[in-house]
Amino acid sequence: MTTTQSSPAGKTASDSGDRPYATVNPATGRTEQEFPFLDSGEVDAVVDKAHAAFLEWRRRPVEDRAAVVARIGELMLERRDDLAALITTEMGKPIREAAGEAMLVASIFDYYAKNGPRFLEPKPIDVMDGEAVVLNEPTGVLLAIEPWNFPLYQVARVAAPNLVLGNAILLKHAENNPQTALALEQLFHDAGVPEGVYTNLFLRISDVEKIIAHPSVQGVTLTGSDRAGSAVASLAGKYLKKSVLELGGSDPFIVLDAPEVEQTVKAAAMSRTMNAGQACIAAKRFIVMDDVYDDFVSGLTEVFQGIEPGDPTDPSTRLGPLSSERAAADLTAQVQDAIDKGATVLAGGGRPDREGAYVQATLLADVTPEMRAYREELFGPVGVVHRVSSEEEAVRLANDTPYGLSATVFSSDVERARKVADQVDSGMVWINSPSGTSAELPFGGVKRSGYGRELSELGMFEFANRRLVRTAGAKKARPADAAAAG
């Protein structure tokens, strides 16, 4: 499968106002390779090719499509070490976590290969006479705009169900993951995905509208910031295209009680620092009941103070660099704003004295509404702790955010935890476990965290045509019946 991009003689990243597609190692700051943009004049031809491929792909039996998707999962496992090395080089994820991401992604493709055909079976409807059935059919070419923080997983959430369904995918991956994007495209090709059914694009932001506007493109999905989501949703609305958005999160981690405080602290620290804290569903705000606050915060502070940034290629490293120097600078500015306005630094608070886009594991207290850290998403290893005296106060604080992606509630009393969880505005809530993900669990949020669901059976149908076929029985519909329906 050839990657669609402009030739080396064409306009390169450095000639454009767009951020270049380039491998910039965040552990060293060195640019290792740049890639040219797709020429704007080639966009329509790329979409036309994808549409032609879709018309063939959709006609293949679903079992055949599922077999190809199963092979993608197998190759993901076979190539996990190579893929992990690319991820670590391009966005700094510790190598063990990167290999773990590949294994998770393999399970997603396996899940849809095994269950997708069953999900797509026609659904009969009971009617008074005759027959009615809902068919689940593909809609066409989709544009997927995916981020760098989980460069395999984010793509899999879209690709696995939609390839089984029969749609074609145009991928605009993040600008700092070009080699990972190319490796994914090659893997899909090697698994048997026909050329045009899955196409990687080194696309300029200015050409996104051109693709969404194309008549053959039937939908767009984006994982990213709420600002990017708002822009894409506006374009989707302008051109009447279906959209799915998974955006930011400022997820609460509510501790109602903690008889095993060490285990709760361990779960909290893992949730906040995995992938250097660059996860939408990571716990970012620790909301702790007064009677357990001191023990919990003391333990969490000790853990954060003991986390040392390290070389992401070393399997023993727990905290790698952020994805870029820009990301590190932005996060540091949010922390400094809080410090300048009176926040208490319990751990970290700055950047270590070493090369690369590193930020210390940081824990803040006394964060108030006028600080950026109170409402903005902290996309890095920075947590905020809040003391509360009642469940009502915990819920109010948890919901005092524009986001609503995921939430966590810890308590030895599960019914108490569920009662609190039921009052939190979020698309997902985890009880006595950090927020996570798995192929069979739906993923998505509310409020400014987006809309729509990926993964699980629900993820099969976001870009499906759920077409009704009604066959009349012996009693035929009268003209008046049709008129009443119109």
Side-chain angles (χ1 to χ4, degrees):
M1 183 179 298
T2 56
T3 299
T4 306
Q5 60 184 58
S6 57
S7 65
K11 198 172 189 181
T12 63
S14 58
D15 298 320
S16 169
D18 292 86
R19 191 183 303 180
Y21 282 89
T23 297
V24 181
N25 190 326
T28 65
R30 289 190 285 273
T31 299
E32 299 191 1
Q33 194 169 358
E34 283 199 9
F35 297 82
F37 286 110
L38 170 69
D39 189 275
S40 297
E42 299 175 25
V43 168
D44 285 342
V46 170
V47 179
D48 291 340
K49 182 177 180 179
H51 178 65
F54 157 72
L55 295 177
E56 294 294 326
W57 180 244
R58 71 173 300 175
R59 284 196 284 267
R60 290 178 61 170
V62 65
E63 293 79 12
D64 289 359
R65 299 196 299 264
V68 172
V69 168
R71 184 58 182 153
I72 293 174
E74 293 170 355
L75 290 179
M76 194 69 63
L77 288 178
E78 292 176 14
R79 301 180 187 181
R80 65 182 180 273
D81 291 340
D82 291 339
L83 291 167
L86 280 177
I87 292 170
T88 298
T89 298
E90 292 197 309
M91 55 77 59
K93 192 190 298 285
I95 192 71
R96 288 183 63 183
E97 292 183 16
E101 180 181 346
M103 295 176 70
L104 169 63
V105 167
S107 74
I108 292 172
F109 283 101
D110 181 68
Y111 172 82
Y112 281 107
K114 291 178 176 176
N115 295 286
R118 174 173 57 86
F119 294 156
L120 297 177
E121 290 176 357
K123 303 295 190 292
I125 300 173
D126 289 333
V127 291
M128 292 292 293
D129 67 289
E131 297 178 350
V133 64
V134 173
L135 304 179
N136 298 300
E137 300 176 338
T139 54
V141 180
L142 310 176
L143 173 62
I145 304 172
E146 301 301 332
W148 46 262
N149 58 332
F150 290 90
L152 305 180
Y153 166 72
Q154 306 284 10
V155 174
R157 291 195 326 215
V158 179
N162 280 290
L163 288 176
V164 175
L165 176 59
N167 287 324
I169 298 166
L170 300 173
L171 174 70
K172 181 196 180 301
H173 217 318
E175 291 86 350
N176 58 335
N177 278 126
Q179 293 190 67
T180 305
L182 291 174
L184 269 176
E185 186 182 46
Q186 186 62 54
L187 187 153
F188 279 41
H189 171 63
D190 293 344
V193 177
E195 189 168 350
V197 171
Y198 179 93
T199 308
N200 178 68
L201 304 178
F202 290 151
L203 190 69
R204 292 182 175 85
I205 293 175
S206 57
D207 286 330
V208 167
E209 180 171 3
K210 192 171 185 179
I211 288 187
I212 294 174
H214 195 289
S216 293
V217 172
Q218 301 303 315
V220 56
T221 179
L222 174 140
T223 296
S225 68
D226 52 340
R227 179 181 178 184
S230 178
V232 167
S234 295
L235 292 173
K238 177 180 179 180
Y239 296 107
L240 297 179
K241 304 297 174 72
K242 173 70 183 288
S243 61
V244 171
L245 303 177
E246 191 270 283
L247 309 177
S250 186
D251 295 2
F253 188 108
I254 302 172
V255 182
L256 300 176
D257 57 74
E260 298 181 359
V261 68
E262 290 184 6
Q263 293 302 313
T264 307
V265 165
K266 182 178 179 181
M270 184 275 289
S271 180
R272 180 65 291 221
T273 60
M274 185 188 72
N275 199 30
Q278 300 167 119
C280 296
I281 59 170
K284 300 179 178 75
R285 297 177 296 137
F286 301 102
I287 300 171
V288 188
M289 293 292 284
D290 184 74
D291 56 347
V292 295
Y293 180 90
D294 290 339
D295 288 344
F296 175 84
V297 172
S298 174
L300 191 60
T301 299
E302 183 178 353
V303 172
F304 270 51
Q305 289 174 340
I307 297 175
E308 290 292 335
D311 179 357
T313 65
D314 184 340
S316 68
T317 292
R318 179 172 176 180
L319 182 66
L322 269 65
S323 64
S324 67
E325 178 58 33
R326 176 179 175 180
D330 288 347
L331 181 64
T332 303
Q334 290 173 300
V335 171
Q336 190 59 50
D337 172 80
I339 295 172
D340 291 345
K341 294 175 181 176
T344 300
V345 179
L346 302 177
R351 300 186 62 174
D353 184 18
R354 62 176 297 157
E355 179 184 50
Y358 290 89
V359 174
Q360 293 174 326
T362 296
L363 196 61
L364 302 174
D366 305 313
V367 171
T368 53
E370 68 272 12
M371 302 175 188
R372 294 176 59 193
Y374 186 88
R375 294 193 187 281
E376 294 181 7
E377 180 176 23
L378 299 169
F379 215 61
V382 178
V384 175
V385 293
H386 297 278
R387 184 194 296 261
V388 294
S389 58
S390 67
E391 294 175 9
E392 292 76 17
E393 186 180 3
V395 170
R396 179 196 62 76
L397 188 56
N399 290 334
D400 190 18
T401 172
Y403 299 106
L405 188 55
S406 192
T408 299
V409 182
F410 266 77
S411 175
S412 59
D413 184 341
V414 173
E415 289 306 313
R416 181 188 184 196
R418 286 175 177 163
K419 177 183 174 183
V420 169
D422 287 346
Q423 301 174 69
V424 177
D425 299 331
S426 65
M428 302 169 283
V429 62
W430 291 64
I431 294 173
N432 292 333
S433 172
S435 295
T437 186
S438 185
E440 70 276 9
L441 302 177
F443 192 103
V446 295
K447 298 162 65 173
R448 290 192 71 84
S449 290
Y451 49 76
R453 292 296 180 268
E454 294 176 327
L455 298 179
S456 77
E457 184 174 1
L458 301 183
M460 289 293 305
F461 303 120
E462 288 290 353
F463 295 103
N465 175 19
R466 311 199 76 176
R467 186 160 68 99
L468 170 67
V469 178
R470 178 72 165 95
T471 303
K475 178 183 177 182
K476 298 186 183 295
R478 297 170 297 170
D481 297 331

